[in-house]
Amino acid sequence: MKLKWALLAVFFTITTVLTGCEPLLVLDPKGPQAERQANDIMLSIGIMSFIVIAVLAILTYMLIKYRASKQSEDYEPPHIEGNPIVEAICVGIPVIIVIFLSIVSVKSNYIVEATPQGYEDQEPLVIYASSSNWKWHFSYPEEDIETVNYLYIPTDRPLEFKLYSYGPITSFWIPQLGGQKYAMADMVTTLHLAAEVPGEYMGRNANFSGEGFAENAFNVKAVPPAEFDEWVEEVKETASPLTEEKFNELLEPGHLGQSTYTGTHLEFSPAPEHNHGSSEQDEHSTDEHHESGHSEHDDEHSQH
Amino acid sequence: MKIDNSLPLEYSTDQNQLNILGFWIFLGAEIMLFGTLFASYFTLVDRTGAGPAGAEIFEITPVLIETLLLLTSSFTIGLAVHAMRLANKKATMAFIGITLLLGLAFLGVEIYEFVHYVHIGAGLQTSAFTAILLTTLGTHGAHVTFGLFWGTFILLQIKKRGLTPETGNKSFIFSLYWHFLDVVWIFIFSFVYLKGMM
Amino acid sequence: MEFFERFAVPHPSPAIYASMVAIGLTVIAIIAGLTYFKKWGYLWREWLTTVDHKRIAIMYLISALLMLFRGGADAILMRAQLAVPDNKMLDAQHYNEIFTTHGVVMIMFMAMPFVFAFMNYLIPLQIGARDVAFPRLNAISFWLFFAGAMLFNISFVVGGSPDAGWTSYFPLAGNDFSTSVGTNYYMIALQISGLGTLMTGINMITTIFKMRAPGMTLMKMPMFTWSSLIANVIIVFAFPVLTVALAMGTMDRLFGTNFFTTSNGGMDMLWANLFWVWGHPEVYILILPAFGLYSEIIATFSGRNLYGYKSMVASMVLISLLSFLVWTHHFFTMGQGALTNSIFSITTMAIAVPTGVKIFNWLFTLWKGKIRFTVPMLYSLGFIPLFTVGGVTGVMLAMSAADYQYHNTMFLVAHFHNTIIPGVVFAMLAGFTYYWPKMFGFMLNEKIGKWTFWMLTVGFVLAFFPMYISGLDGQARRMYTYSEAAGFSMLNMLSFVGAAVMAFGFVLIVYNIYYSVRYSPRNIGANPWNARSLEWATHTPVPEYNFAITPNVASSEALRDVKNGHDLFPGKYEKIHMPNNSGLPFIMGVIFFVWGFSFVFAMWIPLIIATIGIFACMGYRSAEKDHGRYISVKEIEDTETKLRGA
């Protein structure tokens, strides 16, 4: 038994030292959604530690008190059927914990599935993020530009990601801004995020998608709004236009570096949006859809 | 092998009772199988791609004939079990025979129906809808086909060995299977064809 | 030549060639050994054709151990690859194949047969029956499982392994993105072994409902039998869903249908839903019998009855119902919206309540007991806190908003290993040690057993607890490598060390078997652990007919009743009816293997021939007259005297 505790102690020291240096990505939020999630995580870790400690305490007590080596030879353990009161407590406490966590969970669900709190009155920046083996394409329909494998976003503005995939199911994830969501071939899902601190963040596909999956990551740069506008202007001046031919070339399986284009692929290869997408499509964003992808409705409708 | 004559022939030995309970549990699994197929069917029913929708391909006449054949066969297999309990070997065999003939006729119409679907461009590969339609119908059809072979075997055994606890047990279990296929067909008829044609 | 090209492995590596040679040599060695020692007849008569539930159980057990090492080798390769950043030991394709086969082998071909081994061995003994309801079907179940397992395992050297993850999500698993025959193997091998599993389910339920000894009401059954009953009910309702999903997946891959494709209306999400409608109950199929084993062991080594028998049963029934209502929690991030996620978040957390009840019942079983720290008990005591950690992290994952951050990360990997290893694997090893004397007539060495336990526990903690942290630090699962800058090198190194320690623990098990076969004392009596349930009331080793006289049961603790003066075996010997051995199940297994192999490679003519063969076997069986045989009173008397004298 001692050996076990000694090893556990060593282990926990190592991990504390290891993790003490810098905060874990998920627990180091830079936006409201990630913060909500980090708070939920910390809260549940707290409650759960309490449960684990309670179980360990009862177990240790039982093992020390009732081990055979401490009892007389002729001790005969009694026959004990269940006791309704004890069992009611064993049911009651977990039920209370589960109810409490359920309330937190449901509340958080509605929060992370909507425009971030405090940003409701702002017009969100809509970005279409689509994956192909093994790249990410980010289309900014409003700005009429497109990037590959990197994302530029303004801080302090709600972001609405429209996710879909040219291939296997992928999952769009920027841990420090908020949790992930799937990108799929036959529907568009919506992820609401916002960044509050300028900086560079890691973003990646979290869902296994084949050979190039490990490297299927992208870089996220959050900058103040003014700087973001400057960047857009700059792209418009310097980048080459995205043609259908070029886009098809980009879709070829493989890895690409970062690149930037004017225009978006939504014009000739629209998102599969009309397919019963996410139920919470916000009203203000529906206008965007109609402008950005008008022709899509004709030929893709029949696929559904 | 103890035979308890106070019970119907099909229940008269311990092993017979085990067989019947085991088969009921198997039917439970079959319900899940068809339940999953139906759930998938309802999920994919509108996903017709470039292919036709149900309303465009379903025809009422063959479906009605199939329904009629199968319902009648369910009745005749019931009569077979009744005859078996009365220890009437000839009648049992006759009713099982009629059941199998009706099943064969059902299968014939279904094959015609499938050929027709493929002919009008609603094949297995056309769309998610046609695939699940043909898979659901095909799974039922495959069950009927299997039942025809099974029933024939039982018929031969009754002819050779007479109505023993064993053959009685087998024909009773076969009747459970056949009734089950009928129930599945009623669901197919209502929720695939009628709903699809409306 | 072109015909043979399809059997080549698409991405061969020296390791695969080496394995081919190793497999070839092993097969030659086995054949040579059997011939040299003239054991072919013995093998055929006593094992391949057996319908005895105890022998079938032992065959399941051996298969499970073999597969444990196959899956374990995959695991150690994965951890070695990730031990250092930017490792080039394995390339992405190999890594993908390895984690796919690791998952499938461990769940379907290690944990399942392990569970079936105990179900087969124990259920008839615990309810006082001579065998299961359908002994021959039982043998068919085993051979179908075995055919499926072998088919899946040869994918490694013939044609290529599946590479789309054990969940095999479409469209990744479809023809467009998974071009080798690997996923065909997955679909067909699981289909064949799944069929066997379904038949086991039917068999065990019928056995438990119809074949209990006189006096044994449902609420007097030993807890393992209760847990098996519930697990088998789940099997009967869950496996047909897998059957349909696999059939659709096979059709997509081989017949060009569009169930899960991205064109012509195909719907990739349908696969995920069907898979997990089966997949979530599946984990309860594994864990419930494990709970049953723990209940037996903890009660025995506390010297007490199990606390809260009724609430144990009630909680398992509740768990089995809830297990069908939570599948969506495997993909909270699929965009189904806050309402759906909220509902499934709550149902998932609700499972914590009955599970908590069970944990508390085990703790209270220790209360006022007389606790002996034997090897099976150590596993059970280690299980309680470790499984609690696994359980509470499950509750954390159930909070769907937070799950957006845990999903697809090492946190999730840590969680499910934390439930499966202390939950299922420890239970199997505990049961293995606990029932070994009943199966083979001697004990496993306690000292080596304790070393094994500590190595596995320490190794487990080292291997998996760091994953919780690396998951929260953004390490996605299934990445074949990561850069140094990512910052999880140290944690992954720790995991590798833990995995290596565990590997040593598993090797020690083999050594323990070897050591105990040679040195363990034989005359250990019928009840070496001083247990109380019915299976310990018969001789060790158990005679073919289990109980010479059908027991008359008064409670779930038969041997305690005997102590208190209850006559467990009233009456005198009567001749016993037993089923005959049959070669048909084995032959069907072989034909199913050929069937599956032809299907994988789309070789239609052999497929049709094999299909006809399968139906011919069924027809033969239908027409066959086989009324079993009787063991005479004389034979019983002789056996009983011999066993009693021993």
Side-chain angles (χ1 to χ4, degrees), chain C residues 529-551:
Chain C
W529 303 110
N530 199 13
R532 298 173 169 197
S533 41
L534 188 57
E535 71 270 27
W536 300 99
T538 182
H539 304 287
T540 297
V542 186
E544 186 193 2
Y545 46 77
N546 295 350
F547 298 93
I549 296 168
T550 305

Side-chain angles (χ1 to χ4, degrees), chain C residues 530-594:
Chain C
N530 199 13
R532 298 173 169 197
S533 41
L534 188 57
E535 71 270 27
W536 300 99
T538 182
H539 304 287
T540 297
V542 186
E544 186 193 2
Y545 46 77
N546 295 350
F547 298 93
I549 296 168
T550 305
N552 181 24
V553 180
S555 79
S556 64
E557 298 185 294
L559 286 170
R560 184 166 166 273
D561 301 333
V562 172
K563 237 184 209 170
N564 296 340
H566 174 74
D567 185 8
L568 190 59
F569 299 111
K572 38 180 216 243
Y573 299 144
E574 280 171 41
K575 61 177 183 173
I576 295 171
H577 178 251
M578 294 302 285
N580 283 328
N581 281 1
S582 166
L584 204 63
F586 176 74
I587 293 167
M588 275 184 88
V590 173
I591 301 177
F592 258 103
F593 180 87
V594 174

